Amino acid sequence: MIESLLPTRSARAIVGWSIVAAILVLLWVLVDNNYYLRLLISAGIAMIGVIPFGLLMGHMGYMAMGQGGFIGVGAYVVGCLTVQRFEIDIWAALPIAIMVVGALAYAFSFALFRLRGYHFSIGTLALGQLLYLAFDSWEWATGGPHGTSGIPRPAIGEFVFATNSRFLIIVSVFVFLAGFTSWWLARGHVGRALNAIRQDEDLAGARGLDVLRYKQLIFTFAAVWAGLAGGLYGSMQISIDPSSFTIWGSFQYVIYVIIGGAGTLLGPVIGVIFITVLDQLIADVGVWNQMILGALIVITVLFFRGGLWGGIRMLWALALKNRSADRSAVSTQAGAAE
Amino acid sequence: MDPILEIRDLSKRFGGVEAVKAVSFDVPRGSLVGLIGPNGAGKTTFVNLVSKHESPDTGSVLLDKRPIHRLPSFKVARAGLARTYQKNRLFFEESVSENIRTAMIWGGAAKHQDLSYPGLKGKEEERTAELMEFFALTAQRDALPSGLSHLHRRRAEVAQALALAPKLLMLDEPFAGFSREEAFDLIDHLKVCQKGGLTMLLIDHNMEVMLEVCEYLFVMHHGALLASGTSAEVRANPEVINVYLGAET
């Protein structure tokens, strides 16, 4: 039915992302509790990082486990430039943070993409840990274990995005931009190249595709958005320290994609929403919290390879099939009666 | 002889195993030559070295006088050297026509004016349609590789390789799993391409077909080039008989 109403993929994507943006706006209007607003901001920041990461992990099939490090670099560059060593405006610090993370990711991509499969995952894990150690020990820039405090909220003229409801506006804009740029990349020749790399990268190379260039492009793209998410995270938290950028942060990105559904842009978004809601529901069960999450991942991997989004689409397709079967049965009966 | 491919002292070692040992030979332009050898002779490693799926330890490869042994595999493909695989490889999530069209896009537009086999002229859609028609794949244009018979999958793979508009096509065991009729059906198609200027290097251990089809043969054994010559010369070579045909006794 969706295909008949919206015949092109572009139309479906525009409607889909408009619905996501509309939900964010609706939540912004309806939610006035500060706790829930912070939850929405955290979820939005996670989406900014994880939607582009979905291209790397889902579309291209490279499970990077060091995104937490890039988030940290983004946060610390903003922290260093705005309070720790310099006092420049956060609107200038954010693009610099993006460029630093991009340059770092691109430089490391040469070594990392000599690896494949789980070797690549371990390589990125090591990079994430290396960056964590740098946050913890490079006191001049990061403040060491004590971290950096006083990171400002952005402002446009006199209008400071100081309150959570105002800050959510900025986050929502970047969620939309992260979604739009990722969709734009995934729909054309880049998307075709990423899918080919996931299916058989040796064959793609033998058919003339510059595989390394596309791998580096998407790795850097995902890192840049993770850096921006980190900068916004620093601004939201005001104070950051290395404990926010451990391996667990990187694992969370992987979990969002697996639970939500790899290979689609909306899957990681659903993953973030699901985990955020689940965290709230099982916040009081102590250590069981992690065990429930672990069990869910195992169940998803075993029974729902397409994640929650894949499950929704499967059920939708099944419902449509049943409905058309019912209709044809009714028309057959009517024909027989005539 | 005007060689299109010049191999000089090509070697590759994996740990303690010398998979390819200082192999040198030339492939004449427009010819259909074969590379034979028993299992484990190093044929596929040799193909991987020439197509740059593996990097050689030593040696050089010249395609049309241009060194390609230091290029990455995609540049080798764009330079005009295409290959197929021992185990059939296609993009399993793409239809037959998408598989062909994609290679066409990545490989660049047909640029070798001296070639004239199917799928070289016109826009991508026309070239794709022509290649599918040539290999009798039009009915399967929207099918996924998993839904194709072995024969159609092999044809689709060759069509995909030809979509690069190569000067030289290396086919690694193209007749594996084929009956004699099916093998000769594919050969008939390849001969049409040869008339259009395509050079082909066939790698197979189906001696019967290879000796009948190839104008010239190279024989590998234990990673080294053991012999070369016409089918009659290879058939008569005592070393080949000894290590390959096993007819010594």
Side-chain angles (χ1 to χ4, degrees):
Chain A
M1 195 173 84
I2 289 177
E3 277 75 6
S4 59
L5 285 173
L6 304 163
T8 65
R9 284 182 70 182
S10 304
R12 287 198 291 276
I14 289 168
V15 169
W17 286 106
S18 300
I19 290 170
V20 172
I23 290 170
L24 283 170
V25 171
L26 198 68
L27 288 169
W28 177 70
V29 172
L30 294 177
V31 179
D32 59 356
N33 177 310
N34 241 343
Y35 176 75
Y36 289 118
L37 279 170
R38 272 185 81 85
L39 265 186
L40 282 174
I41 292 169
S42 298
I45 289 172
M47 286 176 196
I48 292 168
V50 83
I51 298 169
F53 175 69
L55 288 184
L56 176 67
M57 184 176 155
H59 288 68
M60 200 172 90
Y62 271 74
M63 191 168 79
M65 297 210 288
Q67 294 306 97
F70 293 132
I71 298 169
V73 173
Y76 276 114
V77 170
V78 168
C80 182
L81 291 175
T82 54
V83 285
Q84 187 73 9
R85 289 290 150 193
F86 311 94
E87 287 183 1
I88 70 169
D89 191 90
I90 190 168
W91 286 121
L94 279 171
I96 294 172
I98 287 170
M99 283 189 274
V100 170
V101 175
L104 196 70
Y106 185 71
F108 274 102
S109 70
F110 285 94
L112 287 168
F113 283 121
R114 295 179 77 86
L115 308 170
R116 288 187 191 184
Y118 57 82
H119 293 104
F120 172 81
S121 299
I122 298 296
T124 52
L125 189 73
L127 174 63
Q129 190 63 8
L130 191 77
L131 292 171
Y132 169 77
L133 291 174
F135 305 148
D136 200 46
S137 50
W138 192 17
E139 290 205 18
W140 181 87
T142 66
H146 304 296
T148 301
S149 297
I151 301 170
R153 289 275 174 99
I156 298 174
E158 296 296 307
F159 188 85
V160 184
F161 293 89
T163 63
N164 285 331
S165 64
R166 286 182 180 184
F167 196 63
L168 185 59
I169 299 171
I170 292 180
V171 171
S172 302
V173 168
F174 282 121
V175 169
F176 184 77
L177 286 176
F180 180 77
T181 50
S182 300
W183 167 78
W184 184 75
L185 277 179
R187 66 191 267 276
H189 69 281
V190 177
R192 186 187 291 122
L194 300 185
N195 284 325
I197 291 169
R198 177 172 43 76
Q199 291 171 65
D200 190 338
E201 68 174 89
D202 287 335
L203 178 62
R207 297 297 173 249
L209 182 74
D210 187 350
V211 172
L212 179 64
R213 189 164 70 101
Y214 282 96
K215 290 202 285 195
Q216 290 181 311
L217 169 76
I218 292 306
F219 184 69
T220 308
F221 176 74
V224 158
W225 280 104
L228 179 71
L232 292 172
Y233 175 80
S235 181
M236 177 192 81
Q237 293 287 68
I238 300 169
S239 167
I240 51 169
D241 65 76
S243 68
S244 306
F245 310 110
T246 58
I247 290 172
W248 175 240
S250 306
F251 281 155
Q252 265 194 313
Y253 269 41
V254 173
I255 290 167
Y256 291 144
V257 176
I258 291 174
I259 294 276
T264 64
L265 291 174
L266 216 49
V269 174
I270 291 171
V272 171
I273 295 169
F274 180 77
I275 298 290
T276 305
V277 172
L278 185 76
D279 263 349
Q280 294 307 302
L281 294 176
I282 59 173
D284 298 329
V285 296
V287 70
W288 290 97
N289 183 324
Q290 298 300 310
M291 293 184 79
I292 292 169
L293 191 59
L296 270 172
I297 294 166
V298 172
I299 290 167
T300 308
V301 170
L302 283 178
F303 302 109
F304 299 100
R305 287 288 172 90
L308 286 172
W309 182 229
I312 292 167
R313 289 167 76 176
M314 196 174 68
L315 290 174
W316 178 258
L318 210 64
L320 283 183
K321 201 175 159 188
N322 285 342
R323 209 170 71 163
S324 62
D326 287 347
R327 274 186 184 168
S328 64
V330 167
S331 61
T332 312
Q333 281 172 0
E338 279 170 19
Chain B
M1 184 183 73
D2 171 25
I4 192 162
L5 187 71
E6 296 164 70
I7 316 274
R8 293 289 173 272
D9 294 322
L10 207 63
S11 297
K12 181 72 180 177
R13 177 182 280 278
F14 298 105
V17 179
E18 208 172 355
V20 175
K21 295 177 205 169
V23 171
S24 300
F25 64 78
D26 292 347
V27 175
R29 189 183 302 275
S31 62
L32 199 169
V33 300
L35 178 64
I36 57 172
N39 280 332
K43 303 186 299 291
T44 297
T45 305
F46 172 81
V47 175
N48 287 343
L49 294 178
V50 176
S51 62
K52 271 311 288 287
H53 279 44
E54 306 269 2
S55 292
D57 295 335
T58 57
S60 64
V61 181
L62 272 70
L63 179 70
D64 226 356
K65 313 290 179 214
R66 182 186 170 197
I68 57 166
H69 53 281
R70 289 200 188 91
L71 299 178
S73 64
F74 79 94
K75 284 195 176 170
V76 170
R78 289 182 191 175
L81 191 153
R83 67 165 292 183
T84 64
Y85 295 84
Q86 191 174 346
K87 194 179 171 207
N88 200 286
R89 279 161 90 164
L90 287 161
F91 298 114
F92 54 86
E93 288 179 7
E94 314 292 339
S95 66
V96 171
S97 64
E98 270 305 297
N99 262 287
I100 296 171
R101 208 173 73 89
T102 303
M104 217 166 259
I105 294 165
W106 292 338
K111 50 201 172 291
H112 314 301
Q113 299 303 319
D114 49 334
L115 302 174
S116 63
Y117 52 81
L120 290 177
K121 306 237 165 27
K123 291 181 180 165
E124 280 156 20
E125 285 74 18
E126 293 159 7
R127 293 173 61 200
T128 305
E130 194 183 359
L131 271 173
M132 284 191 297
E133 196 184 330
F134 178 62
F135 283 103
L137 287 165
T138 309
Q140 287 82 20
R141 59 167 294 129
D142 297 322
L144 294 177
S146 57
L148 298 178
S149 66
H150 177 60
L151 174 72
H152 285 135
R153 264 209 302 278
R154 184 63 80 190
R155 282 180 180 176
E157 192 192 16
V158 177
Q160 189 196 47
L162 285 176
L164 293 168
K167 302 171 193 172
L168 173 71
L169 177 61
M170 296 196 299
L171 298 117
D172 192 0
E173 301 216 9
F175 313 125
F178 276 10
S179 65
R180 188 180 158 81
E181 290 70 33
E182 287 169 339
F184 275 90
D185 178 71
L186 182 61
I187 289 161
D188 288 343
H189 286 85
L190 294 175
K191 291 233 169 179
V192 172
C193 297
Q194 189 193 4
K195 278 185 191 147
L198 180 69
T199 308
M200 276 170 288
L201 176 60
L202 262 60
I203 299 95
D204 211 293
H205 52 211
N206 187 336
M207 276 290 275
E208 189 196 336
V209 174
M210 292 290 276
L211 288 170
E212 205 170 326
V213 166
C214 297
E215 296 155 11
Y216 201 82
L217 287 147
F218 298 98
V219 187
M220 274 184 86
H221 182 58
H222 287 330
L225 196 64
L226 181 74
S228 64
T230 60
S231 350
E233 286 165 349
V234 166
R235 265 184 220 272
N237 188 310
E239 278 184 306
V240 176
I241 293 168
N242 186 26
V243 302
Y244 192 96
L245 299 176
E248 192 186 40
T249 55

